[in-house]
Amino acid sequence: AGGDGAVHRFIIDRPSLWWPRGHGEQPLYTMHASLHDGAGVKLDAWSGRVGLRRAELLTRPDAIGRAFAIRINGRPIFCKGANWIPDDCFLDRACDPARYRARIEQAVGANMNMLRIWGGGIYETEAFYDICDELGVMVWQDFPFACAAYPEEEPFRTLIEHEAQHNVARLARHASLVIWNGCNENLWGYHAWGWKEKGLVAGRTWGPGYYFELLPRICARLDPSRPYWPASPWSGDMDVDDGLDPNAATHGNKHVWEAWFGSDYEVYREIQPRFCSEFGFQAPPTMATLASVVEPQGLRRGSPALAQRQKSPGGDERNDRHLEKFFAMPEGFDDWHYLLQVNQARALTLGVEWFRSLQPACMGTLYWQLNDCWPVTSWSAIDGGGRLKPLWYATRRFYAPRLLTFQPWEGGLSIVAVNDTDEPWQGNLPIMRMDFTGRPLCATRADLDVEPHGVQRIALDNASLITPGDAAFEVLTSSAEGRHAFWFFDLDRNLAYEPPSFDSELSRHGDSWRFTLTPHTLMRDVCLFADRLDADAVVSDQLVTLMPGEPHTFIVHTAAALDERALSTPPVLQCVNRFGRRA
């Protein structure tokens, strides 16, 4: 009585702990609280679901620099996910609970365990975090400061303080929210983007008082149950003028844009981040989504209609430049559309598999971005129509609990097995060099023995195995438990792919179709674009690489009647064999 607050502590006996997906269950408790006056009259009441867990951020200095790892209930978690933006330009649609659930379930379907709510967006509504609580998806929550200088004078400062207090208190009950982050790229921008040299912040405040003082103080007072970090990226050095680069690879978390803005995506392998919280590569939306907003005459390279849907300055030219490194530029729009989507998926596959192979030095990858707010050429895996781009299917593979990948290492080549499960991964690993007709040229075996949540790197020091006789017509392959790894010895434009040749069979099963393809030669990155036949069609898989005689069944969910001939020919059926040296 007479005070303005009170603290009540109580003990829950042997609670069931909340875990991120892939690491345990997500039990949620319903809590009821009420406030009464001295006469027992209820003055206020609250109820809500809570999950019980301990969230920590490990940032200790080490032999490399400064670590960055999320630990839940004492276990370091490798974070696999993407950045999240508002799902529509109009927030009444973007915040629809059904839409939230559809999109978060798509993230879960791609084996993600974390979403980063980007600082250029919004605090989402309760429904978003409720669904993440249920599904075990960790949330990295940026405060809404992004890519800009923010004044610290009144009345702006008080408005910021009130807004932050309200949202920290509102969201504190959610088990899924595991880290607060002060801003997106503002410390990096001040340090490296020429703000000082251009006079943009001369004599002005620009925001560090929020990130280093106000926001951590609010979080410590209202929400001490989870860590706070001042920025993404940030190296941990508070001297933003003369200290360590906020985007240093060796310290804290890093944004890796050297690939998209640089020469090509193979540069990912030159970077060894501690935690990569933003990196991405572009591709157009699905054809069904694109055709819903662009007239047929606009579906051509360089059209004004397509240029309107490219919001990255120079993005279309950059996409073409990246594409021409690996492929001869195709003449037709449909082939160009397909190859851009292949390039996006390959870029993120290379980056994520490389970063995952580095753990525990690297403990997270959150690529840019999961979703889109309108139909646009962008970095997303799910386009503005809610349809899955090929990148989504690639994500499901490279974020799988167990991953097999070839990686260059210390001047040689290794095969790396990554095991994010609670069980050891053991077995006999076949590794073979063969030509594109499936003829074996050299083979060996290795012992697969990966501890739970561990990584095994096997150096391939057999020169006859890894040295091709004909680099244009050979591939290195390995597989374990249905997980395949491939290593090609040259760029697609130089590879002597055989023309696509296969047998096919189409049959209907209830409300879906089964299209089985059996190749006569290696077929790389096979995609079945059923949305070109029915805009609502959903395909079970994309970007499938098959060896001769290895059948693969695509399941197409659609109420429409499908035709085997249409499914068997471009632009519905595509594979990169059409774009090699012999094309």
Side-chain angles (χ1 to χ4, degrees):
D4 61 359
V7 174
H8 177 70
R9 290 184 172 88
F10 57 93
I11 295 174
I12 301 175
D13 189 32
R14 294 188 299 276
S16 296
L17 297 181
W18 184 97
W19 288 93
R21 64 177 300 99
H23 293 267
E25 301 299 318
Q26 295 81 42
L28 297 172
Y29 294 89
T30 300
M31 173 179 281
H32 303 279
S34 58
L35 178 68
H36 303 257
D37 67 11
V41 177
K42 182 185 293 187
L43 302 176
D44 202 356
W46 176 90
S47 66
R49 291 187 306 172
V50 298
L52 304 175
R53 55 98 186 97
R54 181 183 299 275
E56 300 169 282
L57 178 62
L58 306 180
T59 60
R60 60 181 177 270
D62 57 21
I64 300 172
R66 180 184 290 273
F68 191 102
I70 300 290
R71 187 164 67 182
I72 304 296
N73 302 326
R75 173 186 293 176
I77 305 292
F78 189 93
C79 299
K80 300 179 290 188
N83 286 253
W84 170 276
I85 67 171
D87 203 51
D88 194 274
C89 294
F90 298 96
L91 294 185
D92 60 331
R93 297 198 302 234
C95 299
D96 176 65
R99 188 164 182 155
Y100 276 149
R101 184 169 293 277
R103 210 64 69 241
I104 297 169
E105 286 182 348
Q106 286 171 323
V108 167
N111 290 311
M112 294 185 182
N113 64 13
M114 175 177 270
L115 293 173
R116 175 190 171 213
I117 299 182
W118 172 59
I122 63 172
Y123 299 102
E124 301 292 345
T125 69
E126 290 290 313
F128 180 95
Y129 307 90
D130 283 336
I131 296 166
C132 289
D133 289 345
E134 294 173 16
L135 299 181
V137 177
M138 295 179 289
V139 175
W140 168 313
Q141 178 69 58
D142 281 10
F143 284 96
F145 302 90
C147 307
Y150 291 84
E152 298 178 48
E153 290 80 16
E154 296 294 349
F156 203 69
R157 181 182 175 86
T158 295
L159 293 173
I160 291 297
E161 183 173 12
H162 290 173
E163 178 185 90
Q165 287 178 159
H166 169 77
N167 283 287
V168 170
R170 176 175 71 93
L171 300 177
R173 71 174 176 88
H174 291 284
S176 57
L177 203 166
V178 299
I179 184 172
W180 290 102
N181 178 63
C183 68
N184 174 79
E185 298 188 340
N186 296 353
L187 300 183
W188 183 29
Y190 175 83
H191 182 90
W193 297 354
W195 292 6
K196 293 177 289 183
E197 293 78 3
K198 297 173 184 176
L200 300 179
V201 294
R204 304 179 186 180
T205 58
W206 58 273
Y210 298 138
Y211 319 133
F212 292 132
E213 299 171 12
L214 178 65
L215 297 177
R217 185 168 67 246
I218 290 172
C219 288
R221 181 167 63 89
L222 297 178
D223 186 19
S225 73
R226 54 181 56 82
Y228 170 87
W229 188 249
S232 184
W234 190 48
S235 62
D237 192 333
M238 296 185 67
D239 183 356
V240 293
D241 283 293
D242 303 311
L244 191 65
D245 185 345
N247 200 32
T250 53
H251 290 65
N253 62 315
K254 179 174 175 59
H255 290 190
V256 180
W257 285 106
E258 289 88 336
W260 167 246
F261 289 105
S263 58
D264 65 73
Y265 56 75
E266 291 181 327
V267 75
Y268 284 130
R269 291 200 182 108
E270 299 175 12
I271 302 166
Q272 299 187 30
R274 310 309 303 274
F275 191 110
C276 193
S277 48
E278 195 179 297
F279 63 109
F281 219 82
Q282 275 200 350
T286 62
M287 185 54 68
T289 293
L290 200 55
S292 71
V293 293
V294 176
E295 296 293 334
Q297 61 270 23
L299 296 177
R300 55 182 175 81
R301 287 178 55 204
S303 75
L306 289 187
Q308 183 193 22
R309 296 181 179 278
Q310 170 58 265
K311 294 305 179 185
S312 177
D316 289 333
E317 294 78 9
R318 190 172 294 113
N319 272 323
D320 285 350
R321 175 169 55 79
H322 286 306
L323 187 62
E324 286 184 300
K325 160 123 189 233
F326 298 95
F327 300 95
M329 185 63 69
E331 295 182 4
F333 175 81
D334 292 327
D335 292 342
W336 175 75
H337 179 270
Y338 161 66
L339 289 180
L340 285 180
Q341 294 191 326
V342 168
N343 231 27
Q344 179 192 36
R346 286 197 188 171
L348 271 295
T349 296
L350 187 150
V352 170
E353 291 189 354
W354 170 249
F355 297 148
R356 287 188 71 184
S357 77
L358 300 175
Q359 63 178 291
C362 176
M363 283 301 291
T365 69
L366 308 176
Y367 69 71
W368 182 267
Q369 64 211 61
L370 177 71
N371 58 328
D372 260 330
C373 60
W374 73 308
V376 64
T377 295
S378 85
W379 304 264
S380 72
I382 304 167
D383 69 23
R387 296 182 176 90
L388 307 177
K389 292 160 68 170
L391 171 58
W392 182 91
Y393 297 89
T395 302
R396 187 173 60 185
R397 292 192 194 97
F398 62 59
Y399 276 160
R402 287 178 172 173
L403 171 71
L404 202 61
T405 176
F406 288 103
Q407 294 293 340
W409 188 255
E410 296 181 346
L413 188 65
S414 295
I415 188 163
V416 184
V418 182
N419 181 18
D420 282 346
T421 74
D422 291 333
E423 302 298 326
W425 188 12
Q426 298 172 326
N428 198 259
L429 187 64
I431 308 168
M432 181 181 296
R433 179 166 57 86
M434 61 178 63
D435 67 22
F436 291 172
T437 68
R439 182 169 63 98
L441 302 171
C442 184
T444 189
R445 289 185 175 272
D447 291 328
L448 188 64
D449 187 9
V450 198
E451 62 185 18
H453 306 286
V455 175
Q456 181 185 13
R457 186 182 302 275
I458 302 170
L460 303 179
D461 50 13
N462 182 340
S464 61
L465 176 70
I466 62 175
T467 305
D470 180 0
F473 197 62
E474 296 176 17
V475 61
L476 201 60
T477 73
S478 186
S479 63
E481 296 184 353
R483 292 156 182 85
H484 299 272
F486 300 93
W487 180 265
F488 291 85
F489 296 98
D490 208 336
L491 306 178
D492 292 79
R493 63 186 304 142
N494 300 326
L495 294 179
Y497 293 123
E498 297 283 347
S501 176
F502 55 89
D503 297 323
S504 64
E505 181 180 347
L506 178 66
S507 59
R508 186 157 201 166
H509 296 260
D511 60 353
S512 64
W513 295 80
R514 298 173 68 88
F515 179 71
T516 300
L517 182 152
T518 305
H520 301 152
T521 183
L522 174 140
M523 291 182 63
R524 188 178 182 189
D525 288 331
V526 180
C527 285
L528 190 68
F529 293 116
D531 65 292
R532 288 176 172 268
L533 304 176
D534 172 26
D536 295 325
V538 178
V539 181
S540 61
D541 213 349
Q542 299 281 36
L543 297 171
V544 181
T545 295
L546 299 171
M547 298 307 296
E550 179 185 355
H552 185 84
T553 297
F554 295 88
I555 300 174
V556 184
H557 298 278
T558 176
L562 296 182
D563 175 75
E564 185 173 352
R565 180 177 177 80
L567 288 171
S568 302
T569 55
V572 177
L573 182 72
Q574 290 275 25
C575 81
V576 299
N577 292 49
R578 299 182 54 235
F579 308 100
R581 191 178 73 189
R582 296 179 178 177

